[in-house]
Amino acid sequence: MPFLNGAVTYARFAVTGDAPQILDQSIIDAFAANPAEPTPIGVPTGPETGWTAGQHILDKAFEFNTMCFDGWVHAAMRLDVVRVPPEVKRAYVAVAEAARTNALEVGQPGWLGRSARKEARDEAKEQWEREVSEGRYRSSKLVPILWNPARRILLSPATTDSVAAPLRELFTATFGGRLEQRSAGSFAVDLLATRGLLTAFEDARPDNLGQQPPSGGSGIPEVPWASGGSEPKDFLGNSFLMWLWWRGDVNEGLFDLADGTNISVALDRSFESECGWGVTGRQSLSGDVPSRWAEASVATLAGKLPRRVGLVVSDGVQEWNCSLQGDRFVVSGLRIPRPDEPAETPQEAALERIGSISAFDSAITQLYSVFLDERFSSRWSAARSSIAEWISQRARPRTGFAPESIVDADASNSVPVHSD
């Protein structure tokens, strides 16, 4: 139950189409009408899904007062899949073939013909399917969701398509709307559509803020992880992380948000980057404020772009720690601050946690919106030049840094580095 306890990981989904926009009893009734009920007998033909009330895979207590929290509804998809280990399949086939080989009469060839091998495979398949029908080799997974019908957003740790696809299908079958995952590029469309900036968005190209590698080709980074995916503008998420890094260094990480909130942002604990030209590989740094290490600056000057960074976000009352993968806009390892006073009931504790998650998500969303305002304004040319000069200055030789470890994805080991 990562939304209700422990560290939180989530991807962002937009809810489109005819899905409900008012959180009322009808939504709870729709969950209850589509409960998780795995096939009790027989062999499932594919992944099986259904809803639970969110506490565990057997939770069918669909009640408004335990699932709804200040505009959000918390539930979970149960995902059941069958995975017979390949080793088991090969073993059953081998046993069936051995039994037929042993039954050969003296003088016959010591190997099986095609029809005999097919019979052995069919016999083995019947055996493992019989075991599947008895409940073996089934894997059950709880996939929680936080859905805000009025805001038309849904958060869930469905960060891979093997989980997101069943979730989309179940949501549409239950509520009639659609779930569309939002990466940095598609999320930018949502935020820019009402500002008349979609033409500028379509014309946007990656920013060359460092130096082009010798074999980098054109003067504009290719950003292969974005250009080769479904949303080629996902590079905006990498620019967003670079912008946060820059603003954190030159402006103490202070930001004024549209709702009047003042927040501070700092990069800490982890810094992962990758060559924007797809030439010099990846770099992963972890330790105390790795964004201040010379390695991070030198790599950025050489053409690497931030992909995932550790963040500390504070609004003066609460402080959150997490990692943010910029291009996919996936939050992972989000640690929710403890309240000053312990909650008196589980429901109160859940309300406080979900309220904190909502406040954090609002802060990150508004931060990205502030970045997009600058990125698609006349101010960006000057900001881009300032960032490029800042990168160049930071990459100049310095002393006094003491990183804990460097992990190069193209190398086999971490390389410890110590200060003099």
Side-chain angles (χ1 to χ4, degrees):
M1 301 179 294
F3 286 121
L4 298 185
N5 56 54
V8 174
T9 292
Y10 68 84
R12 187 181 191 85
F13 294 82
V15 181
T16 63
D18 297 329
Q21 298 185 51
I22 298 175
L23 180 53
D24 57 18
Q25 185 61 40
S26 66
I27 287 180
I28 306 304
D29 293 342
F31 280 121
N34 293 270
E37 294 178 341
T39 302
I41 300 176
V43 181
T45 59
E48 296 184 319
T49 61
W51 297 112
T52 81
Q55 297 291 331
H56 48 74
I57 62 172
L58 302 177
D59 185 9
K60 295 184 179 180
F62 297 98
E63 298 178 3
F64 188 92
N65 63 340
T66 59
M67 295 176 63
C68 299
F69 307 88
D70 196 20
W72 295 87
V73 57
H74 176 263
M77 173 183 72
R78 173 173 171 171
L79 174 63
D80 288 84
V81 296
V82 172
R83 292 191 179 94
V84 182
E87 293 83 358
V88 171
K89 291 183 177 181
R90 285 195 293 267
Y92 283 160
V93 171
V95 169
E97 289 181 346
R100 285 164 173 75
T101 301
N102 294 334
L104 293 175
E105 296 181 2
V106 177
Q108 287 184 300
W111 58 81
L112 299 177
R114 180 180 301 175
S115 62
R117 292 198 304 272
K118 182 179 185 303
E119 288 177 0
R121 289 195 299 271
D122 290 343
E123 178 182 308
K125 183 178 180 181
E126 289 178 2
Q127 183 168 352
W128 74 62
E129 287 186 345
R130 182 166 57 252
E131 292 177 345
V132 167
S133 69
E134 295 170 353
R136 296 182 64 181
Y137 310 123
R138 296 193 185 197
S139 174
S140 298
K141 181 182 182 67
L142 192 70
V143 184
I145 66 167
L146 270 183
W147 173 24
N148 191 310
R151 294 171 56 189
R152 298 180 72 79
I153 62 172
L154 183 144
L155 311 179
S156 175
T159 57
T160 62
D161 196 59
S162 62
V163 178
L167 178 61
R168 290 193 295 265
E169 293 175 3
L170 179 61
F171 187 90
T172 296
T174 305
F175 299 105
R178 297 184 302 277
L179 290 183
E180 299 176 1
Q181 191 162 350
R182 288 301 189 243
S183 59
S186 53
F187 191 22
V189 172
D190 293 342
L191 297 173
L192 295 173
T194 59
R195 307 175 195 178
L197 294 172
L198 290 184
T199 299
F201 169 84
E202 292 297 333
D203 293 338
R205 302 183 68 188
D207 297 298
N208 184 3
L209 299 171
Q211 296 175 351
Q212 176 182 333
S215 57
S218 69
I220 301 296
E222 178 187 352
V223 192
W225 56 87
S227 61
S230 59
E231 181 45 74
K233 305 299 184 183
D234 281 349
F235 65 81
L236 289 170
N238 307 112
S239 298
F240 173 51
L241 297 184
M242 180 75 78
W243 178 79
L244 285 177
W245 185 18
W246 169 61
R247 285 285 299 267
D249 200 43
V250 303
N251 195 42
E252 299 182 344
L254 302 177
F255 298 88
D256 298 326
L257 303 183
D259 66 357
T261 303
N262 301 312
I263 66 169
S264 64
V265 180
L267 276 61
D268 193 17
R269 302 310 304 169
S270 63
F271 190 94
E272 298 177 17
S273 58
E274 186 170 351
C275 180
W277 280 269
V279 174
T280 62
R282 303 186 298 272
Q283 182 188 71
S284 179
L285 307 176
S286 61
D288 185 18
V289 197
S291 61
R292 295 181 181 175
W293 301 353
E295 287 80 4
S297 301
V298 170
T300 305
L301 181 63
K304 285 183 170 61
L305 300 174
R307 292 207 63 185
R308 187 201 308 267
V309 303
L311 294 179
V312 180
V313 180
S314 174
D315 63 0
V317 178
Q318 300 184 85
E319 180 179 285
W320 302 272
N321 293 263
C322 73
S323 291
L324 176 65
Q325 182 167 348
D327 44 286
R328 296 182 62 209
F329 223 81
V330 169
V331 173
S332 58
L334 174 63
R335 296 198 296 274
I336 307 301
R338 293 180 180 273
D340 294 333
E341 298 291 336
E344 296 183 358
T345 65
Q347 191 71 1
E348 182 180 330
L351 178 62
E352 290 176 349
R353 275 187 63 90
I354 291 174
S356 185
I357 294 169
S358 178
F360 168 81
D361 185 70
S362 176
I364 288 295
T365 297
Q366 291 186 72
L367 265 179
Y368 191 44
S369 182
V370 171
F371 161 73
L372 293 174
D373 280 341
E374 183 164 343
R375 175 62 178 76
F376 291 98
S377 74
S378 59
R379 306 189 307 274
W380 183 244
S381 178
R384 181 174 53 203
S385 298
S386 296
I387 295 173
E389 176 61 24
W390 169 76
I391 292 171
S392 178
Q393 290 178 351
R394 286 184 56 88
R396 293 171 185 168
R398 297 179 297 156
T399 60
F401 59 90
E404 295 174 10
S405 66
I406 304 172
V407 178
D408 189 329
D410 297 328
S412 58
N413 297 304
S414 298
V415 181
V417 180
H418 304 285
S419 60
D420 295 334

